Amino acid sequence: MQRSLTHLLRCSLACAALYLAAWQPALASRKTAGAAKTAPDFAARVNPFIGTGAGPGGSINLFPGASAPFGMVQISPDTEPQGYGYHYWEHTIQGFSMTHMSGPGCSNEGDVFFTATTGKVHTKLQNIESPYSHSEESAHPGYYSVMLKRWSIGAELTASTHVGMARFTYPAGTSANFLVPISHTLNYTTGAKVNIVGNDTIEGYVDDRCFCGSPHVYRVHYIMKFSQPFASYGTWMNNTFSPDTTTMIQKHDDQWDGGYVSWPAASTRRVITVKIAISYVDLAGAEKNLNAEARNVSFDTMHNRAAGIWNNELSVVNAEGGTSAEQTVFYTALYHSMLTPSIFSDVDGRYLGFDDNIHHIAAGHNVYCNYSGWDVYRSQLPLVALLKPAVMADMCQSIVLMYQQGGWIGRWPQINHYTNVMCGSPLTTVLCTAWMDGIHGFNIKAAYQGMLKDATQPAPPGHDYAGESSISWINKLHYVPDDKEGYGSVSQIQEDCVAYASLAYLAHALHHNSDATMLLNRAEFERNAFDAADGYFRPRLSNGKWRTPFDPNQSQGYVEGSGWHYQWLAPADMSWLVSAVGKDRFNRRLEAFFNYPKSQWNSKYYNPYNETDLEAPFEFDYSGKPWRTQAAVRRVLLEDYTTSPDGVPGNDDLGEMSSWCVCAMMGIYAIDPASTVYALSTPVFPRITINLSGPYTGKKFIITTTPTGARAVYTKTVHLNGHPLKNDFVTAADITAGGRIHFKASTVPNKKFAVSPANEPQSIGSLAWGRH
């Protein structure tokens, strides 16, 4: 028997309360936020172990180690020989490495691997890995520590933007070793070098492949400086030790190479600090990075700086009140939303372009890399645009530079390579969202040229980039035929239409009126993959017929989902979708979609651990039942975002799932980001202050809610700047101009608030410009 959403919400609230009371991380001993009179310590509310477990949807792969906001370096422990890096349930630490992406879906990076041992020097992973205990492990933004029990060595990590620092406390009475098994990465090492210089330096490089099966290889240069001169050293290749040799070069992918340095036994504990800087340009860049950020800087100084920087970054949002658990969930999600994209340029402004040449960015700016496009266009980069507009401007200019140097705007670029992972043109939506929000500090002329090319032309052959899949068929048939496209034909055209609509908004804003009309028409091409008879987006053949038989539970024709999951993906065209399905049938289906017994992957229910249907909880705002959005959003927050290691659903995908949590807890979510419209749900906290910065004209946007609490799920009324709001949305301009929005919440739904079509968020069908 199916249970009602209201009944499930009551059960979820009760279960969540018991779960949160039973599981208390180390941070939970703090008092409820807002009680202290001193300046808030936002970084102290973050628990980096959240999301390192195995939450709903399978293995999660966030890292608990140290990084600066959007830093080049992510120095963190690795508990597995290949894969994602760290998993909370694993019992041994194999070592530490300098680079990690935050929760992607494929094995990645783990470059510049090192660890510490005592006694005889060993090189095989099974002989150097160490068991560890979570009771002897801790982490907070910019810091990680653990006891390597096998060796009785205390390990601590901290980081600046380009430099990681490790401090090892070795026991007395035995020799101390520092190992660099440089052939070890989490993905696929094709070459490496270790070079021991003098008595305090190791330098070299690592060649690794990009993730998700990409054949492209990138190089990371590194330099390590030790706080004490080492007494002995050597290298190895496979099983052959070479004491007193300084250089080893891996030339084949089946080699196992590395180097080591050692110190003799001491009568007291020996503390060794190593500063490690990296660069994607050259060794000189790594050395400049080290000198600029770590010269004459102690471990404690860098640690304290990192904590201060993170506290300042997180203070962009001041969420007051709520429970300790809610504060931890919110600020950990905000922290995870600020890890990527990663700074790619060195301190001197040099960076490696998509043409493999060295370029220079002007002082005061950075070039960024690692855009998980298909994921982060939905909420992570829109959130960065709202909270960190100057950073977002540089991120957008970095995308423009990709186009100018590489020839195309990629959809999932890693380092300085096109991986062509996933589908659509998500970075078009990212660029359009930023510009429409008022962020104009990037080359919009070049950006527009690249986006229009991607939206209308096939990528030329013989290049690394792919462009939109089946674009020639789209131009001919106005949909993607399933018999001509091997990867999610329905999803392909739906995702493309998100980008077409985004570019249409921008074209209109730039007064490219004929382009705006053309693009708005293209944004409706998804309608050609919609079967009015059964009300589903479904695979269609090149002869115009629907592929049969069809079951919405099937995955054929869809990317990482089913027909049920993609039933809802028309973010720019929601008014049409509700009408095309039929409002009553739309609501029945959407209610059934959220009537799942528990969070798990199921082809016919909401999937909270992948991006395929992240917008779905907010779609009742378009169908006259916004109170069901309020209930659905709160249920997802309570069940899927917790303070445990399993507390992030699925892969975080470089901050996407975490950013959804941040937006949902604030009560605002951009279903169609470039439209600048934010759908509303009931906020979690009594008071949230968003501290705005230029180019936005406002100083603060304040969100207040009374009452709050686990059962105050529903919105009774909303006032924007003191005036009653009849709509269930606000615009980016409402927020960035500064002001105040107040939600009066309730334990019972208000079925009269914002139920008229006139009060629903905008769709392309209601635009007054650019029609056929």
Side-chain angles (χ1 to χ4, degrees):
M1 178 184 295
Q2 287 192 331
R3 290 174 285 179
S4 69
L5 186 60
T6 302
H7 174 76
L8 287 170
L9 180 63
R10 291 195 191 104
C11 294
S12 300
L13 293 170
C15 293
L18 290 171
Y19 182 72
L20 293 175
W23 197 96
Q24 292 295 331
L27 300 176
S29 60
R30 299 187 182 91
K31 294 180 180 180
T32 299
K37 300 296 184 182
T38 57
D41 186 352
F42 299 101
R45 305 174 193 178
V46 174
N47 180 355
F49 293 109
I50 293 176
T52 62
S59 175
I60 305 173
N61 40 64
L62 282 79
F63 63 88
S67 177
F70 308 108
M72 177 182 285
V73 162
Q74 309 84 28
I75 183 171
S76 191
D78 294 326
T79 60
E80 54 195 4
Q82 190 176 40
Y84 310 110
Y86 179 97
H87 281 113
Y88 194 83
W89 70 80
E90 291 175 319
H91 304 298
T92 60
I93 287 176
Q94 298 191 332
F96 310 89
S97 57
M98 293 291 291
T99 60
H100 298 80
M101 287 198 289
S102 184
C106 298
S107 299
N108 71 95
E109 302 192 353
D111 305 311
V112 191
F113 184 76
F114 61 92
T115 192
T117 67
T118 61
K120 181 181 178 181
V121 174
H122 297 279
T123 63
K124 297 296 184 182
L125 283 179
Q126 64 266 30
N127 296 326
I128 63 177
E129 66 184 6
S130 172
Y132 72 106
S133 169
H134 294 305
S135 65
E136 297 177 294
E137 182 185 38
S138 66
H140 54 256
Y143 178 81
Y144 172 87
S145 70
V146 69
M147 174 60 69
L148 301 177
K149 297 170 73 68
R150 182 176 188 173
W151 312 109
S152 298
I153 295 174
E156 299 173 272
L157 311 175
T158 190
S160 60
T161 299
H162 299 86
V163 179
M165 199 178 295
R167 181 165 66 186
F168 294 105
T169 301
Y170 295 87
T174 183
S175 58
N177 310 311
F178 182 90
L179 308 182
V180 186
I182 200 61
S183 297
H184 181 279
T185 66
L186 292 170
N187 196 14
Y188 193 93
T189 314
T190 62
K193 179 180 180 180
V194 59
N195 186 40
I196 301 168
V197 181
N199 62 1
D200 67 350
T201 303
I202 301 177
E203 60 189 28
Y205 60 79
V206 182
D207 295 335
D208 196 2
R209 283 185 182 171
C210 292
F211 86 137
C212 279
S214 171
H216 300 302
V217 174
Y218 61 88
R219 174 168 289 185
V220 184
H221 303 269
Y222 67 90
I223 184 169
M224 303 176 175
K225 286 283 187 180
F226 295 88
S227 60
Q228 297 181 25
F230 38 79
S232 59
Y233 56 86
T235 63
W236 73 82
M237 177 189 291
N238 298 326
N239 295 319
T240 303
F241 267 96
S242 300
D244 301 324
T245 60
T246 59
T247 304
M248 185 61 67
I249 299 176
Q250 176 184 343
K251 298 180 179 179
H252 306 286
D253 55 12
D254 60 350
Q255 286 181 220
W256 179 253
D257 294 356
Y260 66 92
V261 296
S262 298
W263 296 263
S267 59
T268 60
R269 292 186 304 169
R270 183 188 295 274
V271 179
I272 302 292
T273 300
V274 56
K275 303 172 182 179
I276 311 172
I278 64 171
S279 168
Y280 292 92
V281 178
D282 53 26
L283 181 59
E287 189 165 10
K288 287 180 182 179
N289 291 340
L290 188 145
N291 289 332
E293 296 180 2
R295 187 177 183 181
N296 298 323
V297 175
S298 69
F299 183 95
D300 291 332
T301 298
M302 182 174 283
H303 172 205
N304 291 334
R305 286 178 182 174
I309 289 169
W310 270 114
N311 197 56
N312 182 66
E313 290 291 300
L314 296 167
S315 71
V316 70
V317 182
N318 185 1
E320 301 177 60
T323 67
S324 177
E326 288 168 341
Q327 285 280 328
T328 297
V329 167
F330 180 81
Y331 279 100
T332 302
L334 184 59
Y335 164 77
H336 285 143
S337 301
M338 292 182 167
L339 291 172
T340 52
S342 306
I343 289 173
F344 188 56
S345 49
D346 289 340
V347 294
D348 61 3
R350 295 185 308 152
Y351 67 95
L352 200 61
F354 274 73
D355 55 2
D356 286 327
N357 293 320
I358 298 173
H359 300 266
H360 191 274
I361 193 71
H365 296 276
N366 290 300
V367 172
Y368 291 81
C369 67
N370 298 343
Y371 293 80
S372 184
W374 182 80
D375 310 290
V376 298
Y377 86 83
R378 303 166 199 265
S379 59
Q380 191 259 342
L381 286 180
L383 182 64
V384 173
L386 176 62
L387 302 183
K388 308 294 295 183
V391 171
M392 187 64 183
D394 277 359
M395 290 178 177
C396 290
Q397 183 59 21
S398 300
I399 297 171
V400 175
L401 293 171
M402 178 205 319
Y403 166 65
Q404 292 176 315
Q405 296 160 4
W408 212 262
I409 297 175
R411 54 179 176 257
W412 213 126
Q414 183 188 3
I415 314 297
N416 66 323
H417 293 291
Y418 298 97
T419 69
N420 303 314
V421 172
M422 305 310 295
C423 62
S425 297
L427 296 189
T428 287
T429 298
V430 167
L431 292 168
C432 295
T433 298
W435 187 270
M436 298 300 293
D437 281 355
I439 299 171
H440 295 170
F442 61 98
N443 186 341
I444 192 59
K445 182 177 181 180
Y448 186 81
Q449 179 188 67
M451 291 185 287
L452 188 63
K453 183 186 295 185
D454 186 44
T456 58
Q457 302 176 23
H463 295 276
D464 292 339
Y465 47 78
E468 288 184 358
S469 183
S470 299
I471 185 69
S472 296
W473 285 105
I474 293 173
N475 290 338
K476 180 180 180 180
L477 300 177
H478 300 175
Y479 62 92
V480 176
D482 195 60
D483 52 334
K484 304 298 181 180
E485 169 60 54
Y487 184 56
S489 63
V490 181
S491 305
Q492 294 278 0
I493 191 62
Q494 289 178 292
E495 293 286 358
D496 291 341
C497 286
V498 176
Y500 298 154
S502 300
L503 193 51
Y505 304 141
L506 177 63
H508 177 69
L510 297 177
H511 307 293
H512 300 316
N513 295 330
S514 60
D515 285 350
T517 298
M518 177 269 295
L519 289 162
L520 207 59
N521 290 337
R522 289 180 77 89
E524 295 177 351
F525 283 178
E526 65 191 359
R527 300 181 183 186
N528 298 319
F530 180 83
D531 184 356
D534 60 17
Y536 287 101
F537 292 106
R538 52 180 291 190
R540 192 174 184 181
L541 305 177
S542 57
N543 62 7
K545 296 181 179 180
W546 301 110
R547 182 179 288 282
T548 57
F550 172 72
D551 181 346
N553 292 295
Q554 74 184 39
S555 60
Q556 181 174 341
Y558 307 99
V559 173
E560 297 186 358
S562 69
W564 269 102
H565 299 140
Y566 280 93
Q567 161 90 48
W568 322 106
L569 187 62
D573 208 7
M574 283 303 304
S575 293
W576 163 80
L577 180 61
V578 172
S579 176
V581 175
K583 180 176 286 190
D584 289 342
R585 182 166 65 170
F586 181 94
N587 281 321
R588 287 195 306 271
R589 285 185 179 176
L590 194 53
E591 289 166 13
F593 193 57
F594 284 98
N595 199 18
Y596 50 89
K598 65 177 182 178
S599 289
Q600 61 182 11
W601 198 95
N602 190 299
S603 61
K604 68 176 182 178
Y605 290 128
Y606 176 65
N607 179 357
Y609 29 80
N610 204 358
E611 285 74 14
T612 53
D613 52 5
L614 284 184
E615 77 290 343
F618 293 89
E619 293 194 0
F620 289 111
D621 280 357
Y622 292 82
S623 64
K625 292 189 175 184
W627 69 91
R628 293 206 178 275
T629 278
Q630 297 149 22
V633 168
R634 189 62 62 92
R635 180 188 178 188
V636 173
L637 287 173
L638 286 169
E639 293 184 357
D640 299 303
Y641 292 90
T642 71
T643 57
S644 84
D646 301 340
V648 176
N651 303 328
D652 200 38
D653 287 320
L654 282 70
E656 175 53 31
M657 312 307 285
S658 289
S659 65
W660 186 97
C661 175
V662 171
C663 294
M665 293 184 83
M666 293 196 299
I668 55 174
Y669 185 83
I671 291 179
D672 179 21
S675 73
T676 74
V677 171
Y678 285 83
L680 301 180
S681 60
T682 309
V684 170
F685 299 103
R687 183 183 177 94
I688 302 168
T689 301
I690 300 175
N691 296 301
L692 302 164
S693 58
Y696 301 142
T697 57
K699 300 299 182 185
K700 297 179 183 294
F701 186 74
I702 300 171
I703 304 168
T704 56
T705 306
T706 55
T708 56
R711 296 189 180 278
V713 171
Y714 300 102
T715 297
K716 188 173 183 180
T717 60
V718 180
H719 285 73
L720 179 63
N721 296 323
H723 302 289
L725 185 67
K726 296 182 179 180
N727 302 327
D728 55 3
F729 67 91
V730 295
T731 66
D734 292 329
I735 298 172
T736 59
R740 182 186 300 264
I741 188 170
H742 178 71
F743 292 77
K744 187 174 182 180
S746 175
T747 58
V748 295
N750 178 4
K751 298 184 178 182
K752 295 183 179 180
F753 172 70
V755 297
S756 168
N759 305 134
E760 296 167 2
Q762 163 192 290
S763 291
I764 57 175
S766 61
L767 296 175
W769 52 267
R771 307 315 302 161
H772 323 272

